[in-house]
Amino acid sequence: MSKILVTSALPYVNGVPHLGHMVGCLLPSDVYARYMRMMGHEVLYVCGTDEHGTPSEVGAAKEGMDVGDYCLKYHNRHKEAYKAFNLSFDYFGRTSSDQNKEMTYHIFEQLDKNGFIEEQSIKQIFSIDDNRFLPDRYVTGTCPHCGYDKARGDQCENCTKVLEPTELINPRSTISGSTNLEVRETKHLFLKLPLLEEKLAAWVKSKEPFWPDVAYSIAQKWLKEGLKPRCITRDLKWGFPVNKKGFEDKVFYVWFDAPIGYIGITKQWADENPQNRNWKEWWLDAKDVHYVQFMGKDNVPFHSISFPATLLGTGENWTKVDYLKGMSYLTFEGGKFSKSENRGVFAEDAIKEFPADYWRYWLMANAPEASDSSFTFDLFAGTVNKDLNGVLGNFVSRVMKMTASKIGSVVPQAGELQDVDKQLIADLQEKVGNYCKYMENLEFKKALSELRAIWVDGNNYISVTEPWTVIKTDPQRAAAILNICLNLIRIYAVLSYPVMPETAEKILAKFGLNTKEIASLKDFSAEKEIRALKEGQQFEVGEALFERIAPEKIEELKAKYGSEKK
RNA sequence: GGCGGGGUAGCUCAGUUGGUUAGAGCGGUGGAAUCAUAAUCCAUGUGUCGGGAGUUCGAAUCUCCCCCUCGCUACCA
């Protein structure tokens, strides 16, 4: 048994998560955490909301709220949504917590002490009417290259050229529309990444065998281009005030304290039960901790370069990422998810339409691992109807109903294994082996495809053995077949648990069992598992596990969630 | 503009030490079965592997050029 530290990229508090966010880091991290627990590892799985930065301030102002209250409100919305999706965080914290402040201050002090912090003056746009500095992106104007009148200060979306906000014609504040702007000089603190480059490069190189190509190549690209000092402070109110003389009126840049949030949140977790929890066991001079991070592809540079460099610069022995899972994006009905255009399914709504497991299964079976992947309601309904209802749900139903009506609602007597049974067991052993291998390698699509194949084998087995025919001439053999089928159902529940925890519980409950007692995959032996149910054990057929999605419902959903391209 | 990912069957996607007839699931078609949720099982694929050129006995795979698409480009996060 080893210690597995799992983190999901911290969702930004301002805005509600959609399916793309769910599959981009939250769900895969949960499936992985659940799987690793089932393998008997000690798992710490933390996440939380990333709260600092301009968008929070602007969002709060728009709602006429205090920034802290605003963040708490949205933090709670995130928390509720993830709970509804059954994300099994050990702790869901906040980057604005006192614990994170403490960590951020400590790490900054270490960096400063070690000579990795320097002052630089930079010029930035100040909006007099908004009474605030504007990040480049918050300045809008006409693109000097193509004349597009809604170009942002960092890049023109129309011609894709990279811009400086001062290049814009007729610049205005994106927040208020005010044109009353001026360039002001302001002092900031920079992390001297060039000094850490060598050390960082060596560290990245040591990770080459373990990181996926995408992550490794992105990190290499940054190193190849040469690291520049990175500004880690901002002229904002909302954030941790900088703990250095002369900079007290500034706050740390959100990307400085956000990844430190993984540590801060762990401390939040530990502080709730200090007798039994120790954050250092996971993060500082930690032994035997295997750290796996999940994030969208856009987050890779921060997790492979800035954050590790920050930790290296402290001179202390912080736990750094071992495996970095970068996910691509999910598209929605051929386009992008867009809150402003009301296109796409958001987590809060998704859960009102269908049980979490429908989404969890579909999203993981179609996870954007190698490249972007597409969500459409047709695909979703197809999978729910075929895989969940047809293959898994119907198997459970046909086996239980047949047993109940022909023999009674008890697990019938097992018999001597025949060749067809032995083959089933051998296949099961092999496929579970593959499933586990894929899970361990974080190849979710492959893992789920294997899981599905295991379900298919059950249907295959029953149609080959034909217990409904056999029972007329050889009731004992029919009982033995059904015994095997019922045991398969139990095994399917256990195997499905990381992906579909509710369904797993539901299935086991039919046998009066629960996942707490039996959800283990350690040293899986098909031979033993196929005999796990006690003969004579009562079961209840109960209601169907899943419901089909009717064609009319699909059309309704498409209309409701803006499938039509605008 | 630069860098990186992706472009494979009607649809969604697998597929690198270069190697026999390029794969899976879905959908379609045909059949079987009647235990089950009109569910299941079996059979069924002549695809310009984005386009062009090259290396090679041999290229989806390696090299070069081009096209489309997504992302990043250090001040959105």
Side-chain angles (χ1 to χ4, degrees), chain A residues 281-479:
Chain A
E281 274 178 20
W282 295 92
W283 284 103
L284 197 56
D285 297 318
K287 289 198 184 80
D288 306 322
V289 170
H290 182 74
Y291 180 18
V292 183
Q293 284 179 343
F294 293 80
M295 72 202 68
K297 57 183 172 181
D298 53 328
N299 264 321
V300 171
F302 298 101
H303 288 81
S304 61
I305 300 290
S306 340
F307 185 43
T310 300
L311 295 177
L312 283 169
T314 61
E316 296 170 321
N317 185 24
W318 292 95
T319 300
K320 288 177 289 298
V321 62
D322 290 301
Y323 193 94
L324 191 154
K325 178 78 175 173
M327 304 285 284
S328 286
Y329 290 152
L330 187 71
T331 61
F332 178 77
E333 297 277 348
K336 287 183 188 178
F337 283 85
S338 165
K339 178 75 180 157
S340 56
E341 288 172 42
N342 201 25
R343 274 174 49 79
V345 186
F346 291 81
E348 294 170 334
D349 297 321
I351 221 71
K352 286 180 200 152
E353 301 290 353
F354 301 105
D357 284 354
Y358 289 32
W359 300 106
R360 291 177 61 108
Y361 180 79
W362 191 91
L363 289 168
M364 293 312 295
N366 297 280
E369 295 184 285
S371 61
D372 293 355
S373 67
S374 8
F375 174 88
T376 70
F377 282 111
D378 288 318
L379 289 168
F380 175 72
T383 300
V384 168
N385 291 345
K386 181 74 185 175
D387 293 5
L388 297 186
N389 281 280
V391 180
L392 177 61
N394 183 48
F395 180 73
V396 173
S397 170
R398 68 196 299 199
V399 168
M400 287 195 153
K401 283 189 179 172
M402 195 190 325
T403 310
S405 70
K406 312 256 173 191
I407 296 171
S409 296
V410 292
V411 176
Q413 231 181 5
E416 205 171 308
L417 294 178
Q418 302 198 351
D419 286 349
V420 64
D421 309 334
K422 287 178 187 161
Q423 187 59 51
L424 174 81
I425 292 166
D427 288 347
L428 180 63
Q429 186 69 47
E430 190 192 332
K431 284 182 175 143
V432 171
N434 292 336
Y435 173 74
C436 292
K437 186 186 78 195
Y438 290 138
M439 278 292 193
E440 250 142 71
N441 294 340
L442 300 107
E443 296 179 272
F444 296 108
K445 273 199 292 203
K446 286 183 184 169
L448 265 73
S449 154
E450 205 68 25
L451 178 62
R452 192 196 120 95
I454 293 170
W455 299 338
V456 167
D457 281 354
N459 281 304
N460 205 339
Y461 174 77
I462 204 169
S463 58
V464 170
T465 53
E466 297 185 26
W468 55 85
T469 307
V470 173
I471 198 157
K472 292 170 191 162
T473 55
D474 187 352
Q476 260 196 339
R477 172 59 186 158

Side-chain angles (χ1 to χ4, degrees), chain A residues 538-552:
Chain A
Q538 293 250 338
F539 67 83
E540 241 179 278
V541 177
E543 57 182 24
L545 293 174
F546 306 101
E547 242 177 79
R548 294 178 60 79
I549 303 174
E552 308 83 65

Side-chain angles (χ1 to χ4, degrees), chain A residues 4 6-8 22 25-38 43-47 79 81-92 269 360 497-499 501:
Chain A
I4 314 278
V6 180
T7 61
S8 162
M22 294 309 299
C25 50
L26 295 155
L27 261 183
S29 58
D30 180 63
V31 171
Y32 184 72
R34 284 175 183 274
Y35 170 79
M36 282 310 202
R37 290 187 194 116
M38 285 176 85
V43 172
L44 180 68
Y45 174 34
V46 295
C47 188
K79 203 170 170 178
Y82 303 146
K83 196 174 155 199
F85 265 85
N86 285 311
L87 301 186
S88 61
F89 304 124
D90 289 295
Y91 200 84
F92 187 76
W269 165 81
R360 291 177 61 108
Y497 175 73
V499 185

Side-chain angles (χ1 to χ4, degrees), chain A residues 47-71:
Chain A
C47 188
T49 40
D50 176 17
E51 306 194 351
H52 294 140
T54 308
S56 286
E57 284 194 349
V58 174
K62 242 183 216 164
E63 296 194 18
M65 288 179 79
D66 169 76
V67 196
D69 295 344
Y70 173 87
C71 286

